[in-house]
Amino acid sequence: ADWAVEKLGEAHDKPFFLGVGFYRPHQPLWAPKKYHDMYPPESVVLPEVPADDLEDVSKIAQDFGRLALTSGAHETVVKYGQWRKAVSAYLACITYVDAQIGRVLDALDASPYAKNTMIVLWSDHGWQLGEKEHWGKFTAWERSTRVPLIIAPPQENSIEGFQAGSEVDQPVSLLDVYPTIMDMLDLESRPDLDGHSLLPLIEDSKRSWGEVALSWVGHGTCTVRNERWRYTRYFDGSQELYDLKADPHEWKNLAGKSRYAKVMKRLDGKIPVDDRYKHFVRYGDYKAL
């Protein structure tokens, strides 16, 4: 944040791109003490985790949830009485970064570039705080794959139909960031990349979109998200389907129920053919495709 504030205070006679990355929230979950003081562990509301949540998913999916892939096992967090403290620390880190982003935005508002700068804010992945017995990232569920994405067009380059503060309830992807920026700048995008310009949704947040968001977890595991459903095909061929309007916590796996066969077939068809592996051999930590 200090670096970004300094750059915004400098004179620039040409258009410039400023990439500002923050390491938090991330383990180790450290932040200045005043931010930790905002979230006393005893006041933290823990996510609800049903005891039988993973009983309706495959062994592979259970392993994604229970194994210590990125940040230790949730079982260990609970065993040693650290759940409330860990959630508290995570919230502190989020608030700490919010404050730093605020400093950068204040510096931008005070600079000569306030009216002609486009702002795009996003995160690289989500984070599970015990949901589905997982602590960390690297799963195909909503908490790990959904991220913040906020776009503010330049003030002096008003877009017809744009409403500040509006929310778009459509599945988009971080692959869409590049074509969106190029479209906003009226520059030609490379044709060999995936992704779609989000300018139509910036112009009209209620516009019909029709696209899905794809996320991969390692080789062969792909999850498909549209405005209502999340469908996941794991590398061993096992599947999950969740109706996120009726079941936002993904507690009821609907895969295998005949009434949802058409939905699953349609969403499975969104996965690129090259990523539908035909055969796997798993041996310890190794996997052959």
Side-chain angles (χ1 to χ4, degrees), residues 47-55 57 61-69 72-78 83 128-136 139 141 251:
E48 186 176 352
V49 182
D52 61 348
D53 189 18
L54 298 183
E55 289 186 4
V57 301
Q62 291 175 10
D63 285 350
F64 271 109
R66 290 171 176 157
L67 293 182
L69 293 173
H74 176 63
E75 180 184 26
T76 306
V77 176
V78 174
W83 197 2
Q128 287 172 235
L129 303 169
E131 297 93 342
K132 306 196 79 69
E133 300 183 34
H134 187 72
W135 187 269
T139 76
W141 294 306
W251 286 340

PDB file of all heavy atoms in Angstrom, residues 47-55 57 61-69 72-78 83 128-136 139 141 251:
ATOM      1  N   PRO A  47     -18.954 -21.285  11.122  1.00  0.00           N
ATOM      2  CA  PRO A  47     -19.844 -21.868  10.111  1.00  0.00           C
ATOM      3  C   PRO A  47     -20.449 -23.174  10.601  1.00  0.00           C
ATOM      4  O   PRO A  47     -19.829 -23.903  11.381  1.00  0.00           O
ATOM      5  CB  PRO A  47     -18.901 -22.106   8.923  1.00  0.00           C
ATOM      6  CG  PRO A  47     -17.537 -22.187   9.516  1.00  0.00           C
ATOM      7  CD  PRO A  47     -17.547 -21.268  10.697  1.00  0.00           C
ATOM      8  N   GLU A  48     -21.656 -23.457  10.156  1.00  0.00           N
ATOM      9  CA  GLU A  48     -22.315 -24.706  10.529  1.00  0.00           C
ATOM     10  C   GLU A  48     -21.745 -25.845   9.698  1.00  0.00           C
ATOM     11  O   GLU A  48     -21.660 -25.746   8.464  1.00  0.00           O
ATOM     12  CB  GLU A  48     -23.823 -24.600  10.309  1.00  0.00           C
ATOM     13  CG  GLU A  48     -24.601 -25.803  10.816  1.00  0.00           C
ATOM     14  CD  GLU A  48     -26.099 -25.631  10.662  1.00  0.00           C
ATOM     15  OE1 GLU A  48     -26.529 -24.513  10.310  1.00  0.00           O
ATOM     16  OE2 GLU A  48     -26.839 -26.620  10.881  1.00  0.00           O
ATOM     17  N   VAL A  49     -21.344 -26.915  10.350  1.00  0.00           N
ATOM     18  CA  VAL A  49     -20.755 -28.073   9.675  1.00  0.00           C
ATOM     19  C   VAL A  49     -21.495 -29.330  10.111  1.00  0.00           C
ATOM     20  O   VAL A  49     -21.205 -29.883  11.179  1.00  0.00           O
ATOM     21  CB  VAL A  49     -19.248 -28.198   9.988  1.00  0.00           C
ATOM     22  CG1 VAL A  49     -18.649 -29.380   9.222  1.00  0.00           C
ATOM     23  CG2 VAL A  49     -18.505 -26.911   9.648  1.00  0.00           C
ATOM     24  N   PRO A  50     -22.456 -29.803   9.318  1.00  0.00           N
ATOM     25  CA  PRO A  50     -23.177 -31.025   9.687  1.00  0.00           C
ATOM     26  C   PRO A  50     -22.224 -32.221   9.822  1.00  0.00           C
ATOM     27  O   PRO A  50     -21.281 -32.367   9.043  1.00  0.00           O
ATOM     28  CB  PRO A  50     -24.146 -31.227   8.516  1.00  0.00           C
ATOM     29  CG  PRO A  50     -24.286 -29.873   7.903  1.00  0.00           C
ATOM     30  CD  PRO A  50     -22.960 -29.207   8.080  1.00  0.00           C
ATOM     31  N   ALA A  51     -22.472 -33.069  10.792  1.00  0.00           N
ATOM     32  CA  ALA A  51     -21.591 -34.206  11.048  1.00  0.00           C
ATOM     33  C   ALA A  51     -21.558 -35.179   9.877  1.00  0.00           C
ATOM     34  O   ALA A  51     -20.556 -35.865   9.653  1.00  0.00           O
ATOM     35  CB  ALA A  51     -22.032 -34.930  12.318  1.00  0.00           C
ATOM     36  N   ASP A  52     -22.657 -35.244   9.104  1.00  0.00           N
ATOM     37  CA  ASP A  52     -22.731 -36.193   7.992  1.00  0.00           C
ATOM     38  C   ASP A  52     -22.580 -35.520   6.633  1.00  0.00           C
ATOM     39  O   ASP A  52     -22.975 -36.061   5.608  1.00  0.00           O
ATOM     40  CB  ASP A  52     -24.064 -36.945   8.032  1.00  0.00           C
ATOM     41  CG  ASP A  52     -25.266 -35.997   7.887  1.00  0.00           C
ATOM     42  OD1 ASP A  52     -25.069 -34.768   7.992  1.00  0.00           O
ATOM     43  OD2 ASP A  52     -26.383 -36.499   7.677  1.00  0.00           O
ATOM     44  N   ASP A  53     -21.983 -34.330   6.601  1.00  0.00           N
ATOM     45  CA  ASP A  53     -21.955 -33.533   5.378  1.00  0.00           C
ATOM     46  C   ASP A  53     -21.290 -34.257   4.214  1.00  0.00           C
ATOM     47  O   ASP A  53     -21.715 -34.128   3.070  1.00  0.00           O
ATOM     48  CB  ASP A  53     -21.240 -32.204   5.641  1.00  0.00           C
ATOM     49  CG  ASP A  53     -21.370 -31.244   4.480  1.00  0.00           C
ATOM     50  OD1 ASP A  53     -22.274 -31.443   3.635  1.00  0.00           O
ATOM     51  OD2 ASP A  53     -20.580 -30.285   4.401  1.00  0.00           O
ATOM     52  N   LEU A  54     -20.220 -35.012   4.466  1.00  0.00           N
ATOM     53  CA  LEU A  54     -19.469 -35.644   3.384  1.00  0.00           C
ATOM     54  C   LEU A  54     -19.892 -37.077   3.099  1.00  0.00           C
ATOM     55  O   LEU A  54     -19.260 -37.749   2.269  1.00  0.00           O
ATOM     56  CB  LEU A  54     -17.965 -35.601   3.704  1.00  0.00           C
ATOM     57  CG  LEU A  54     -17.341 -34.212   3.833  1.00  0.00           C
ATOM     58  CD1 LEU A  54     -15.836 -34.317   4.072  1.00  0.00           C
ATOM     59  CD2 LEU A  54     -17.616 -33.363   2.597  1.00  0.00           C
ATOM     60  N   GLU A  55     -20.952 -37.535   3.713  1.00  0.00           N
ATOM     61  CA  GLU A  55     -21.364 -38.921   3.512  1.00  0.00           C
ATOM     62  C   GLU A  55     -21.971 -39.174   2.135  1.00  0.00           C
ATOM     63  O   GLU A  55     -22.025 -40.318   1.678  1.00  0.00           O
ATOM     64  CB  GLU A  55     -22.358 -39.343   4.602  1.00  0.00           C
ATOM     65  CG  GLU A  55     -21.706 -39.499   5.971  1.00  0.00           C
ATOM     66  CD  GLU A  55     -22.672 -40.047   7.003  1.00  0.00           C
ATOM     67  OE1 GLU A  55     -23.828 -40.368   6.624  1.00  0.00           O
ATOM     68  OE2 GLU A  55     -22.281 -40.158   8.184  1.00  0.00           O
ATOM     69  N   VAL A  57     -20.830 -37.863  -0.743  1.00  0.00           N
ATOM     70  CA  VAL A  57     -19.871 -37.599  -1.811  1.00  0.00           C
ATOM     71  C   VAL A  57     -18.869 -38.737  -1.871  1.00  0.00           C
ATOM     72  O   VAL A  57     -18.760 -39.553  -0.955  1.00  0.00           O
ATOM     73  CB  VAL A  57     -19.148 -36.243  -1.609  1.00  0.00           C
ATOM     74  CG1 VAL A  57     -20.160 -35.100  -1.563  1.00  0.00           C
ATOM     75  CG2 VAL A  57     -18.305 -36.243  -0.342  1.00  0.00           C
ATOM     76  N   ALA A  61     -13.730 -36.954  -3.164  1.00  0.00           N
ATOM     77  CA  ALA A  61     -14.214 -35.668  -2.648  1.00  0.00           C
ATOM     78  C   ALA A  61     -13.976 -35.555  -1.150  1.00  0.00           C
ATOM     79  O   ALA A  61     -13.602 -34.490  -0.642  1.00  0.00           O
ATOM     80  CB  ALA A  61     -15.699 -35.500  -2.970  1.00  0.00           C
ATOM     81  N   GLN A  62     -14.165 -36.647  -0.414  1.00  0.00           N
ATOM     82  CA  GLN A  62     -13.890 -36.646   1.021  1.00  0.00           C
ATOM     83  C   GLN A  62     -12.422 -36.346   1.285  1.00  0.00           C
ATOM     84  O   GLN A  62     -12.078 -35.616   2.221  1.00  0.00           O
ATOM     85  CB  GLN A  62     -14.280 -37.992   1.624  1.00  0.00           C
ATOM     86  CG  GLN A  62     -15.770 -38.258   1.647  1.00  0.00           C
ATOM     87  CD  GLN A  62     -16.111 -39.649   2.147  1.00  0.00           C
ATOM     88  OE1 GLN A  62     -15.252 -40.360   2.654  1.00  0.00           O
ATOM     89  NE2 GLN A  62     -17.376 -40.037   2.003  1.00  0.00           N
ATOM     90  N   ASP A  63     -11.549 -36.911   0.453  1.00  0.00           N
ATOM     91  CA  ASP A  63     -10.120 -36.640   0.612  1.00  0.00           C
ATOM     92  C   ASP A  63      -9.806 -35.174   0.375  1.00  0.00           C
ATOM     93  O   ASP A  63      -8.998 -34.572   1.092  1.00  0.00           O
ATOM     94  CB  ASP A  63      -9.311 -37.503  -0.360  1.00  0.00           C
ATOM     95  CG  ASP A  63      -9.227 -38.958   0.072  1.00  0.00           C
ATOM     96  OD1 ASP A  63      -9.628 -39.254   1.215  1.00  0.00           O
ATOM     97  OD2 ASP A  63      -8.766 -39.788  -0.726  1.00  0.00           O
ATOM     98  N   PHE A  64     -10.436 -34.572  -0.638  1.00  0.00           N
ATOM     99  CA  PHE A  64     -10.225 -33.147  -0.882  1.00  0.00           C
ATOM    100  C   PHE A  64     -10.596 -32.344   0.369  1.00  0.00           C
ATOM    101  O   PHE A  64      -9.933 -31.365   0.713  1.00  0.00           O
ATOM    102  CB  PHE A  64     -11.072 -32.663  -2.065  1.00  0.00           C
ATOM    103  CG  PHE A  64     -10.396 -32.777  -3.399  1.00  0.00           C
ATOM    104  CD1 PHE A  64     -10.805 -33.711  -4.335  1.00  0.00           C
ATOM    105  CD2 PHE A  64      -9.344 -31.941  -3.734  1.00  0.00           C
ATOM    106  CE1 PHE A  64     -10.192 -33.815  -5.567  1.00  0.00           C
ATOM    107  CE2 PHE A  64      -8.725 -32.028  -4.964  1.00  0.00           C
ATOM    108  CZ  PHE A  64      -9.145 -32.971  -5.888  1.00  0.00           C
ATOM    109  N   GLY A  65     -11.676 -32.752   1.040  1.00  0.00           N
ATOM    110  CA  GLY A  65     -12.128 -32.014   2.217  1.00  0.00           C
ATOM    111  C   GLY A  65     -11.282 -32.270   3.445  1.00  0.00           C
ATOM    112  O   GLY A  65     -10.935 -31.344   4.176  1.00  0.00           O
ATOM    113  N   ARG A  66     -10.937 -33.539   3.689  1.00  0.00           N
ATOM    114  CA  ARG A  66     -10.353 -33.911   4.981  1.00  0.00           C
ATOM    115  C   ARG A  66      -8.829 -33.930   5.010  1.00  0.00           C
ATOM    116  O   ARG A  66      -8.236 -33.779   6.084  1.00  0.00           O
ATOM    117  CB  ARG A  66     -10.885 -35.285   5.392  1.00  0.00           C
ATOM    118  CG  ARG A  66     -12.361 -35.255   5.766  1.00  0.00           C
ATOM    119  CD  ARG A  66     -12.920 -36.635   5.962  1.00  0.00           C
ATOM    120  NE  ARG A  66     -14.320 -36.596   6.420  1.00  0.00           N
ATOM    121  CZ  ARG A  66     -15.177 -37.578   6.253  1.00  0.00           C
ATOM    122  NH1 ARG A  66     -14.794 -38.702   5.648  1.00  0.00           N
ATOM    123  NH2 ARG A  66     -16.425 -37.460   6.684  1.00  0.00           N
ATOM    124  N   LEU A  67      -8.196 -34.135   3.865  1.00  0.00           N
ATOM    125  CA  LEU A  67      -6.735 -34.200   3.890  1.00  0.00           C
ATOM    126  C   LEU A  67      -6.132 -32.814   4.091  1.00  0.00           C
ATOM    127  O   LEU A  67      -6.701 -31.803   3.685  1.00  0.00           O
ATOM    128  CB  LEU A  67      -6.206 -34.813   2.591  1.00  0.00           C
ATOM    129  CG  LEU A  67      -6.548 -36.288   2.361  1.00  0.00           C
ATOM    130  CD1 LEU A  67      -5.918 -36.780   1.067  1.00  0.00           C
ATOM    131  CD2 LEU A  67      -6.080 -37.147   3.532  1.00  0.00           C
ATOM    132  N   ALA A  68      -4.951 -32.785   4.700  1.00  0.00           N
ATOM    133  CA  ALA A  68      -4.283 -31.508   4.986  1.00  0.00           C
ATOM    134  C   ALA A  68      -3.550 -31.030   3.738  1.00  0.00           C
ATOM    135  O   ALA A  68      -2.329 -31.037   3.662  1.00  0.00           O
ATOM    136  CB  ALA A  68      -3.322 -31.682   6.152  1.00  0.00           C
ATOM    137  N   LEU A  69      -4.316 -30.606   2.729  1.00  0.00           N
ATOM    138  CA  LEU A  69      -3.717 -30.266   1.435  1.00  0.00           C
ATOM    139  C   LEU A  69      -3.004 -28.924   1.456  1.00  0.00           C
ATOM    140  O   LEU A  69      -1.946 -28.762   0.870  1.00  0.00           O
ATOM    141  CB  LEU A  69      -4.803 -30.260   0.360  1.00  0.00           C
ATOM    142  CG  LEU A  69      -5.432 -31.618   0.043  1.00  0.00           C
ATOM    143  CD1 LEU A  69      -6.618 -31.449  -0.912  1.00  0.00           C
ATOM    144  CD2 LEU A  69      -4.401 -32.549  -0.578  1.00  0.00           C
ATOM    145  N   GLY A  72      -3.445 -27.643   6.785  1.00  0.00           N
ATOM    146  CA  GLY A  72      -3.748 -28.518   7.897  1.00  0.00           C
ATOM    147  C   GLY A  72      -5.171 -29.030   7.828  1.00  0.00           C
ATOM    148  O   GLY A  72      -6.014 -28.501   7.100  1.00  0.00           O
ATOM    149  N   ALA A  73      -5.466 -30.072   8.583  1.00  0.00           N
ATOM    150  CA  ALA A  73      -6.798 -30.662   8.577  1.00  0.00           C
ATOM    151  C   ALA A  73      -7.726 -29.899   9.522  1.00  0.00           C
ATOM    152  O   ALA A  73      -7.323 -29.482  10.610  1.00  0.00           O
ATOM    153  CB  ALA A  73      -6.722 -32.127   8.994  1.00  0.00           C
ATOM    154  N   HIS A  74      -8.968 -29.737   9.095  1.00  0.00           N
ATOM    155  CA  HIS A  74      -9.945 -29.086   9.964  1.00  0.00           C
ATOM    156  C   HIS A  74     -10.104 -29.867  11.265  1.00  0.00           C
ATOM    157  O   HIS A  74     -10.301 -29.286  12.337  1.00  0.00           O
ATOM    158  CB  HIS A  74     -11.287 -28.965   9.243  1.00  0.00           C
ATOM    159  CG  HIS A  74     -12.371 -28.383  10.092  1.00  0.00           C
ATOM    160  ND1 HIS A  74     -12.303 -27.104  10.592  1.00  0.00           N
ATOM    161  CD2 HIS A  74     -13.533 -28.905  10.558  1.00  0.00           C
ATOM    162  CE1 HIS A  74     -13.377 -26.858  11.319  1.00  0.00           C
ATOM    163  NE2 HIS A  74     -14.139 -27.937  11.314  1.00  0.00           N
ATOM    164  N   GLU A  75     -10.017 -31.174  11.177  1.00  0.00           N
ATOM    165  CA  GLU A  75     -10.107 -32.019  12.360  1.00  0.00           C
ATOM    166  C   GLU A  75      -9.063 -31.629  13.405  1.00  0.00           C
ATOM    167  O   GLU A  75      -9.329 -31.606  14.604  1.00  0.00           O
ATOM    168  CB  GLU A  75      -9.919 -33.482  11.957  1.00  0.00           C
ATOM    169  CG  GLU A  75      -9.995 -34.464  13.121  1.00  0.00           C
ATOM    170  CD  GLU A  75      -9.715 -35.897  12.679  1.00  0.00           C
ATOM    171  OE1 GLU A  75      -9.019 -36.084  11.664  1.00  0.00           O
ATOM    172  OE2 GLU A  75     -10.195 -36.822  13.358  1.00  0.00           O
ATOM    173  N   THR A  76      -7.866 -31.291  12.942  1.00  0.00           N
ATOM    174  CA  THR A  76      -6.795 -30.883  13.850  1.00  0.00           C
ATOM    175  C   THR A  76      -7.082 -29.517  14.460  1.00  0.00           C
ATOM    176  O   THR A  76      -6.836 -29.285  15.653  1.00  0.00           O
ATOM    177  CB  THR A  76      -5.452 -30.841  13.096  1.00  0.00           C
ATOM    178  OG1 THR A  76      -5.235 -32.101  12.461  1.00  0.00           O
ATOM    179  CG2 THR A  76      -4.309 -30.554  14.045  1.00  0.00           C
ATOM    180  N   VAL A  77      -7.606 -28.591  13.636  1.00  0.00           N
ATOM    181  CA  VAL A  77      -7.970 -27.262  14.133  1.00  0.00           C
ATOM    182  C   VAL A  77      -8.961 -27.375  15.289  1.00  0.00           C
ATOM    183  O   VAL A  77      -8.818 -26.720  16.325  1.00  0.00           O
ATOM    184  CB  VAL A  77      -8.553 -26.401  12.994  1.00  0.00           C
ATOM    185  CG1 VAL A  77      -9.026 -25.052  13.531  1.00  0.00           C
ATOM    186  CG2 VAL A  77      -7.518 -26.179  11.897  1.00  0.00           C
ATOM    187  N   VAL A  78      -9.955 -28.255  15.124  1.00  0.00           N
ATOM    188  CA  VAL A  78     -10.976 -28.439  16.156  1.00  0.00           C
ATOM    189  C   VAL A  78     -10.396 -29.162  17.365  1.00  0.00           C
ATOM    190  O   VAL A  78     -10.639 -28.786  18.516  1.00  0.00           O
ATOM    191  CB  VAL A  78     -12.170 -29.225  15.578  1.00  0.00           C
ATOM    192  CG1 VAL A  78     -13.180 -29.558  16.682  1.00  0.00           C
ATOM    193  CG2 VAL A  78     -12.841 -28.428  14.459  1.00  0.00           C
ATOM    194  N   TRP A  83     -10.342 -23.344  16.470  1.00  0.00           N
ATOM    195  CA  TRP A  83     -11.262 -22.924  15.412  1.00  0.00           C
ATOM    196  C   TRP A  83     -11.668 -21.457  15.559  1.00  0.00           C
ATOM    197  O   TRP A  83     -11.563 -20.669  14.623  1.00  0.00           O
ATOM    198  CB  TRP A  83     -12.491 -23.834  15.433  1.00  0.00           C
ATOM    199  CG  TRP A  83     -13.318 -23.803  14.178  1.00  0.00           C
ATOM    200  CD1 TRP A  83     -13.069 -23.086  13.043  1.00  0.00           C
ATOM    201  CD2 TRP A  83     -14.536 -24.509  13.944  1.00  0.00           C
ATOM    202  NE1 TRP A  83     -14.047 -23.316  12.111  1.00  0.00           N
ATOM    203  CE2 TRP A  83     -14.966 -24.185  12.627  1.00  0.00           C
ATOM    204  CE3 TRP A  83     -15.294 -25.397  14.700  1.00  0.00           C
ATOM    205  CZ2 TRP A  83     -16.130 -24.708  12.075  1.00  0.00           C
ATOM    206  CZ3 TRP A  83     -16.462 -25.924  14.141  1.00  0.00           C
ATOM    207  CH2 TRP A  83     -16.868 -25.583  12.845  1.00  0.00           C
ATOM    208  N   GLN A 128     -11.979 -21.900   2.850  1.00  0.00           N
ATOM    209  CA  GLN A 128     -12.947 -22.573   3.711  1.00  0.00           C
ATOM    210  C   GLN A 128     -12.467 -22.533   5.157  1.00  0.00           C
ATOM    211  O   GLN A 128     -11.318 -22.841   5.463  1.00  0.00           O
ATOM    212  CB  GLN A 128     -13.146 -24.015   3.242  1.00  0.00           C
ATOM    213  CG  GLN A 128     -13.943 -24.082   1.946  1.00  0.00           C
ATOM    214  CD  GLN A 128     -14.004 -25.471   1.348  1.00  0.00           C
ATOM    215  OE1 GLN A 128     -13.638 -25.666   0.195  1.00  0.00           O
ATOM    216  NE2 GLN A 128     -14.478 -26.445   2.119  1.00  0.00           N
ATOM    217  N   LEU A 129     -13.387 -22.146   6.030  1.00  0.00           N
ATOM    218  CA  LEU A 129     -13.095 -21.998   7.449  1.00  0.00           C
ATOM    219  C   LEU A 129     -13.737 -23.125   8.246  1.00  0.00           C
ATOM    220  O   LEU A 129     -14.292 -22.915   9.310  1.00  0.00           O
ATOM    221  CB  LEU A 129     -13.594 -20.641   7.947  1.00  0.00           C
ATOM    222  CG  LEU A 129     -13.034 -19.418   7.219  1.00  0.00           C
ATOM    223  CD1 LEU A 129     -13.793 -18.160   7.622  1.00  0.00           C
ATOM    224  CD2 LEU A 129     -11.555 -19.259   7.513  1.00  0.00           C
ATOM    225  N   GLY A 130     -13.681 -24.326   7.689  1.00  0.00           N
ATOM    226  CA  GLY A 130     -14.285 -25.484   8.322  1.00  0.00           C
ATOM    227  C   GLY A 130     -15.464 -26.043   7.552  1.00  0.00           C
ATOM    228  O   GLY A 130     -15.895 -27.167   7.823  1.00  0.00           O
ATOM    229  N   GLU A 131     -16.011 -25.257   6.608  1.00  0.00           N
ATOM    230  CA  GLU A 131     -17.116 -25.763   5.796  1.00  0.00           C
ATOM    231  C   GLU A 131     -16.695 -27.045   5.090  1.00  0.00           C
ATOM    232  O   GLU A 131     -15.597 -27.140   4.548  1.00  0.00           O
ATOM    233  CB  GLU A 131     -17.553 -24.720   4.758  1.00  0.00           C
ATOM    234  CG  GLU A 131     -18.086 -23.433   5.342  1.00  0.00           C
ATOM    235  CD  GLU A 131     -17.036 -22.365   5.504  1.00  0.00           C
ATOM    236  OE1 GLU A 131     -15.831 -22.706   5.490  1.00  0.00           O
ATOM    237  OE2 GLU A 131     -17.396 -21.193   5.645  1.00  0.00           O
ATOM    238  N   LYS A 132     -17.576 -28.027   5.082  1.00  0.00           N
ATOM    239  CA  LYS A 132     -17.328 -29.330   4.471  1.00  0.00           C
ATOM    240  C   LYS A 132     -16.043 -29.959   5.009  1.00  0.00           C
ATOM    241  O   LYS A 132     -15.284 -30.611   4.296  1.00  0.00           O
ATOM    242  CB  LYS A 132     -17.314 -29.234   2.943  1.00  0.00           C
ATOM    243  CG  LYS A 132     -18.595 -28.581   2.388  1.00  0.00           C
ATOM    244  CD  LYS A 132     -18.792 -28.814   0.931  1.00  0.00           C
ATOM    245  CE  LYS A 132     -19.342 -30.191   0.645  1.00  0.00           C
ATOM    246  NZ  LYS A 132     -20.742 -30.344   1.101  1.00  0.00           N
ATOM    247  N   GLU A 133     -15.810 -29.716   6.314  1.00  0.00           N
ATOM    248  CA  GLU A 133     -14.679 -30.302   7.043  1.00  0.00           C
ATOM    249  C   GLU A 133     -13.323 -29.928   6.436  1.00  0.00           C
ATOM    250  O   GLU A 133     -12.356 -30.680   6.519  1.00  0.00           O
ATOM    251  CB  GLU A 133     -14.815 -31.825   7.114  1.00  0.00           C
ATOM    252  CG  GLU A 133     -16.087 -32.292   7.814  1.00  0.00           C
ATOM    253  CD  GLU A 133     -16.166 -33.802   7.951  1.00  0.00           C
ATOM    254  OE1 GLU A 133     -15.104 -34.442   8.121  1.00  0.00           O
ATOM    255  OE2 GLU A 133     -17.278 -34.349   7.886  1.00  0.00           O
ATOM    256  N   HIS A 134     -13.265 -28.729   5.861  1.00  0.00           N
ATOM    257  CA  HIS A 134     -12.020 -28.327   5.192  1.00  0.00           C
ATOM    258  C   HIS A 134     -11.530 -27.001   5.750  1.00  0.00           C
ATOM    259  O   HIS A 134     -12.314 -26.105   6.058  1.00  0.00           O
ATOM    260  CB  HIS A 134     -12.256 -28.190   3.692  1.00  0.00           C
ATOM    261  CG  HIS A 134     -10.989 -27.954   2.911  1.00  0.00           C
ATOM    262  ND1 HIS A 134     -10.041 -28.932   2.715  1.00  0.00           N
ATOM    263  CD2 HIS A 134     -10.514 -26.849   2.282  1.00  0.00           C
ATOM    264  CE1 HIS A 134      -9.048 -28.449   1.995  1.00  0.00           C
ATOM    265  NE2 HIS A 134      -9.308 -27.184   1.726  1.00  0.00           N
ATOM    266  N   TRP A 135     -10.219 -26.885   5.866  1.00  0.00           N
ATOM    267  CA  TRP A 135      -9.595 -25.622   6.247  1.00  0.00           C
ATOM    268  C   TRP A 135      -8.584 -25.239   5.168  1.00  0.00           C
ATOM    269  O   TRP A 135      -7.548 -25.861   5.025  1.00  0.00           O
ATOM    270  CB  TRP A 135      -8.890 -25.735   7.613  1.00  0.00           C
ATOM    271  CG  TRP A 135      -8.419 -24.388   8.057  1.00  0.00           C
ATOM    272  CD1 TRP A 135      -7.214 -23.826   7.812  1.00  0.00           C
ATOM    273  CD2 TRP A 135      -9.168 -23.414   8.759  1.00  0.00           C
ATOM    274  NE1 TRP A 135      -7.158 -22.548   8.316  1.00  0.00           N
ATOM    275  CE2 TRP A 135      -8.342 -22.275   8.908  1.00  0.00           C
ATOM    276  CE3 TRP A 135     -10.450 -23.374   9.279  1.00  0.00           C
ATOM    277  CZ2 TRP A 135      -8.766 -21.126   9.565  1.00  0.00           C
ATOM    278  CZ3 TRP A 135     -10.867 -22.226   9.930  1.00  0.00           C
ATOM    279  CH2 TRP A 135     -10.038 -21.131  10.070  1.00  0.00           C
ATOM    280  N   GLY A 136      -8.927 -24.240   4.399  1.00  0.00           N
ATOM    281  CA  GLY A 136      -8.016 -23.802   3.348  1.00  0.00           C
ATOM    282  C   GLY A 136      -8.712 -23.692   2.009  1.00  0.00           C
ATOM    283  O   GLY A 136      -9.896 -23.403   1.910  1.00  0.00           O
ATOM    284  N   THR A 139     -10.323 -26.995  -3.103  1.00  0.00           N
ATOM    285  CA  THR A 139     -11.472 -27.879  -3.266  1.00  0.00           C
ATOM    286  C   THR A 139     -12.320 -27.317  -4.401  1.00  0.00           C
ATOM    287  O   THR A 139     -12.111 -26.180  -4.859  1.00  0.00           O
ATOM    288  CB  THR A 139     -12.348 -27.983  -2.000  1.00  0.00           C
ATOM    289  OG1 THR A 139     -13.138 -26.795  -1.858  1.00  0.00           O
ATOM    290  CG2 THR A 139     -11.501 -28.215  -0.762  1.00  0.00           C
ATOM    291  N   TRP A 141     -15.584 -26.824  -4.181  1.00  0.00           N
ATOM    292  CA  TRP A 141     -16.825 -26.292  -3.635  1.00  0.00           C
ATOM    293  C   TRP A 141     -16.859 -24.762  -3.694  1.00  0.00           C
ATOM    294  O   TRP A 141     -15.855 -24.101  -3.968  1.00  0.00           O
ATOM    295  CB  TRP A 141     -17.015 -26.791  -2.209  1.00  0.00           C
ATOM    296  CG  TRP A 141     -17.221 -28.281  -2.144  1.00  0.00           C
ATOM    297  CD1 TRP A 141     -18.154 -29.014  -2.823  1.00  0.00           C
ATOM    298  CD2 TRP A 141     -16.453 -29.224  -1.369  1.00  0.00           C
ATOM    299  NE1 TRP A 141     -18.027 -30.349  -2.518  1.00  0.00           N
ATOM    300  CE2 TRP A 141     -16.998 -30.522  -1.633  1.00  0.00           C
ATOM    301  CE3 TRP A 141     -15.383 -29.122  -0.491  1.00  0.00           C
ATOM    302  CZ2 TRP A 141     -16.494 -31.672  -1.047  1.00  0.00           C
ATOM    303  CZ3 TRP A 141     -14.882 -30.266   0.104  1.00  0.00           C
ATOM    304  CH2 TRP A 141     -15.433 -31.534  -0.175  1.00  0.00           C
ATOM    305  N   TRP A 251     -24.992 -28.873   0.955  1.00  0.00           N
ATOM    306  CA  TRP A 251     -25.116 -29.980   1.902  1.00  0.00           C
ATOM    307  C   TRP A 251     -25.772 -31.213   1.271  1.00  0.00           C
ATOM    308  O   TRP A 251     -25.665 -32.308   1.816  1.00  0.00           O
ATOM    309  CB  TRP A 251     -25.949 -29.537   3.104  1.00  0.00           C
ATOM    310  CG  TRP A 251     -25.205 -28.614   4.022  1.00  0.00           C
ATOM    311  CD1 TRP A 251     -23.857 -28.455   4.117  1.00  0.00           C
ATOM    312  CD2 TRP A 251     -25.776 -27.711   4.991  1.00  0.00           C
ATOM    313  NE1 TRP A 251     -23.534 -27.517   5.073  1.00  0.00           N
ATOM    314  CE2 TRP A 251     -24.698 -27.044   5.635  1.00  0.00           C
ATOM    315  CE3 TRP A 251     -27.078 -27.421   5.382  1.00  0.00           C
ATOM    316  CZ2 TRP A 251     -24.891 -26.100   6.634  1.00  0.00           C
ATOM    317  CZ3 TRP A 251     -27.274 -26.481   6.379  1.00  0.00           C
ATOM    318  CH2 TRP A 251     -26.191 -25.824   6.993  1.00  0.00           C
TER     319      TRP A 251
END
